[in-house]
Amino acid sequence: MTTAEDIEKAVEQLPAPELARFRAWFEMFDADRFDAAIERDANAGRLEAFAEEALAAYRAGQSRDL
């Protein structure tokens, strides 16, 4: 099995064009993983407390326009 250290060493050896390609791929891979985790948490109701807290702060005038 490949370790993170093995992967790091392989990435260090990539020529610039391949590094750019890898970077773009990894950015999409990481974003997709993050989005999936947020979706799972939302579907499981794990974000409800955060939403309620934000709405309560808004109702209490403790928020500001961005």
Side-chain angles (χ1 to χ4, degrees):
M1 176 170 225
T2 302
T3 66
E5 188 175 291
D6 294 335
I7 295 168
E8 288 171 4
K9 288 177 184 175
V11 169
E12 288 172 354
Q13 307 269 334
L14 291 174
E18 286 299 308
L19 180 59
R21 183 172 158 248
F22 173 76
R23 186 182 301 117
W25 171 84
F26 188 79
E27 184 178 327
M28 289 300 299
F29 171 80
D30 196 38
D32 289 345
R33 287 282 186 101
F34 181 81
D35 291 347
I38 292 293
E39 187 173 345
R40 279 192 309 274
D41 287 347
N43 290 338
R46 292 187 194 106
L47 304 178
E48 295 299 321
F50 294 116
E52 288 302 322
E53 184 180 335
L55 289 171
Y58 175 77
R59 290 183 193 114
Q62 298 171 337
S63 62
R64 59 184 170 84
D65 291 336
L66 295 178

